[in-house]
Amino acid sequence: MSFPLVALGNPLLDLQVDVEPSYLEKYSLKANDAILIEEKHLPIFKESLENPTVKSIAGGAAQNAARGAQYILPENSVVYFGSVGKDDYSKLLLEANQQAGVKSLYQFQDSYETGKCAALITGHNRSLVTDLAAANHFTPDHLQNPENWEFVQNAKFFYIGGFHLTVSPDAIYLLGQHAADENKDFSLNLSAPFIPEFFKDVLDKSITFANYVIGNETEAAAYAKSHGLETQDLKEIAKYIAKEPKVNSQKDRTVIITHGLEPTVAVTYSSESDSFVINEYPVHALESSKIQDTNGAGDAFAGGLLAGLVAGDSLESSIDKGQWLAKLSIQEVGPSFPYPKQSYA
Ligand code: 26A
């Protein structure tokens, strides 16, 4: 079957620049974070474009994961939905997807520019400041357009960037309900601490459709805080998420939490037996000197993981594909992958 994986997210162009810690301080930014732009951050884009280290690279978290999954999967495996402007930035994104073999089903906006993300690099950290622009105007009717809905119907696996929770919850619920009705796989990334913090209700509802939830340690901590959990323990937080209400009773829910160089935690909850399976998987550590930057590392992990799950691999082997792809991506500039392609052995 072609195009088994459908991803939905915010297509963004990354303006990646090297900055000093004092630059982050000036705008009260954390070294490792992702936020939506506020008034006080507006000069950052102009300043980034004037920075001699600036690189324009295809970004958008779910779009990066889509390119990552297609890097591993056979041709014609991944479709990506999101909203862009009619400008040079979206041309660049389209070309990057084409080169990666991802089918872009963009919704084009007449009155908004393609969204952009300033990726401010300090050492091995990245601080992401996003102006969603056109990406903020995605609407569910774009999915329901018969030409596009055909791809939804033919897919067997859905991946939602958690960042899209700020944009079109209805589009997420539409895909979630379809996945539940048809007993298909539905995966969701927590994406950033501000998602569980400020979009708790949308997140909780989206998770009801999900049989895979992916996140990292800071997102898990933010989830714990917003849900009033006492614990900081990643396994306990993953257990809580795994056991949250679920629409499709035919599938167990697995929660996968990465933790930098520490082992990745995976917890599966079976409602049938009311029991958990808890495991930890080591990462593919890379010599620090070989790290180019960590922008997109988590997306690459998600992409590799999805490639494994879509291909029907075991959870262990899918997580290993995620670790492998993350290791490749952090050796490239931004959320990119090496060409000629390397193959997972
Ligand atoms: C809504 N927000 C804040 C965002 C993003 C985002 N993608 C979608 N929505 N903020 C940052 N990113 C993307 O995350 C990638 C790294 O994981 C950046 O474009 C970057 O490529």
Side-chain angles (χ1 to χ4, degrees), residues 9-10 12-14 34-36 58-62 64 117 126 128-130 132 163-164 166-167 194 295-299 335:
N10 307 325
L12 302 174
L13 185 83
D14 284 2
I35 61 157
L36 286 168
N64 300 336
C117 170
R126 92 289 182 270
L128 307 170
V129 181
T130 291
L132 282 171
F163 284 125
H164 199 77
T166 74
V167 173
F194 86 85
N295 180 20
D299 306 331

Side-chain angles (χ1 to χ4, degrees), residues 253-270:
R253 181 183 294 133
T254 299
V255 179
I256 299 135
I257 308 287
T258 61
H259 189 190
L261 289 172
E262 302 292 314
T264 300
V265 168
V267 172
T268 302
Y269 175 68
S270 155

Side-chain angles (χ1 to χ4, degrees), residues 6-8 81-82 105 107 138-152 158 164 168 170-175:
V6 163
L8 168 65
F81 284 105
L105 294 178
Q107 183 175 25
F138 188 86
T139 49
D141 59 298
H142 183 67
L143 296 170
Q144 286 163 313
N145 171 339
E147 278 171 26
N148 293 336
W149 192 252
E150 204 183 315
F151 285 93
V152 172
F158 297 90
H164 199 77
S168 181
D170 287 340
I172 297 169
Y173 306 153
L174 181 71
L175 293 179

